[in-house]
Amino acid sequence: MPAKARTDRNAHTRTTILDAAERLFAEHGVHGVSNRQVADAAGQGNTAVVGYHFGTKADLVRAIVRRHTTAIERTREEMVEQVADSDDLRDWLACLVRPAFDHLATLGSPTWYARFGAQVMTDPALREILVDESLSSPALLRILDGLHACLPSLPPAVFRERGDVARHLLVHVPVERERALADGAPTTRATWADTATGLVDVLVGVWLAPVTATPDHPTPDQEPV
């Protein structure tokens, strides 16, 4: 077989494996799916083909993440350049939210990446892969710096608490829309772009909500000097 034909066939095989694995992992969890099931779903008779092309299951997860992050990161970098030194919290939250939502909009329907990402983020053994590949980019670090510079002074515990809430929303809001689209169910917003707008509104509310003082969490003006 000519080298080009072999290369093209290998690329096609890798793509079908990635497509099948992403869908199965999204539906059943990473550890609930065997290489044999991935190979079968990809139309591959040789069950060793997954390991041959990708190595371990963690390597396969990393490959799925990596094939989406290029487009997301490109949009993120463009948005960061546009907002530059903005002191508007909404600008930085848009940079945080919209790149992934815009990417999902380009994939057609159904998509699986949001649900796949949620499965990975809730698995302690795999979470670091997603963090390394998509949550540690220079553009994202600039977004977080810009976002933090716009926030009011918050007690450290409240800041961590709101960060946890924000991460939960960033992971699970796209999951709910993606699942509804896949099931043919009604969606709260008409488009991914509108959904991103709604989530930015919610996150502004999360970060700027008033802080009720408690004995464990005093407001900044009540903290001991």
Side-chain angles (χ1 to χ4, degrees):
M1 178 182 294
K4 183 179 186 306
R6 187 182 307 111
T7 299
D8 290 346
R9 188 180 71 174
N10 286 341
H12 176 73
T13 299
R14 286 175 61 88
T15 297
T16 58
I17 291 171
L18 289 171
D19 289 343
E22 184 175 323
R23 174 176 61 81
L24 291 174
F25 291 164
E27 292 178 324
H28 305 293
V30 177
H31 298 296
V33 176
S34 68
N35 281 0
R36 176 184 292 275
Q37 289 171 305
V38 173
D40 288 345
Q44 302 296 316
N46 181 1
T47 58
V49 70
V50 178
Y52 172 78
H53 282 283
F54 295 101
T56 67
K57 185 169 284 187
D59 293 329
L60 178 56
V61 167
R62 188 179 296 276
I64 294 170
V65 173
R66 191 168 287 173
R67 75 170 179 163
H68 290 280
T69 53
T70 301
I72 294 172
E73 185 65 10
R74 183 166 54 247
T75 302
R76 185 179 285 146
E77 290 171 351
E78 292 171 355
M79 291 190 68
V80 168
E81 290 304 317
Q82 290 172 5
V83 301
D85 298 320
S86 174
D87 59 0
D88 186 340
L89 177 61
R90 184 177 296 275
D91 286 341
W92 294 107
L93 288 171
C95 291
L96 192 63
V97 172
R98 289 195 181 278
F101 283 54
D102 289 351
H103 177 64
L104 286 164
T106 69
L107 300 179
S109 184
T111 58
W112 311 98
Y113 189 59
R115 285 170 287 174
F116 163 81
Q119 294 280 7
V120 173
M121 281 296 287
T122 54
D123 187 316
L126 298 172
R127 178 186 176 119
E128 287 305 312
I129 294 174
L130 191 60
V131 171
D132 288 344
E133 292 293 333
S134 61
L135 303 181
S136 303
S137 72
L140 182 59
L141 295 177
R142 285 184 64 190
I143 291 168
L144 295 178
D145 286 343
L147 189 155
H148 294 164
C150 297
L151 295 177
S153 179
L154 294 169
V158 173
F159 182 87
R160 291 192 298 271
E161 177 182 62
R162 295 186 180 185
D164 290 342
V165 171
R167 280 190 294 274
H168 180 84
L169 292 169
L170 285 164
V171 170
H172 290 285
V173 166
V175 166
E176 294 303 318
R177 176 176 175 78
E178 185 179 73
R179 181 180 292 117
L181 289 172
D183 293 343
T187 57
T188 304
R189 299 271 183 156
T191 65
W192 280 106
D194 287 348
T195 306
T197 298
L199 180 53
V200 169
D201 288 344
V202 169
L203 290 173
V204 169
V206 168
W207 283 110
L208 298 185
V211 179
T212 300
T214 66
D216 290 337
H217 298 154
T219 56
D221 61 321
Q222 295 174 319
E223 291 181 336
V225 178

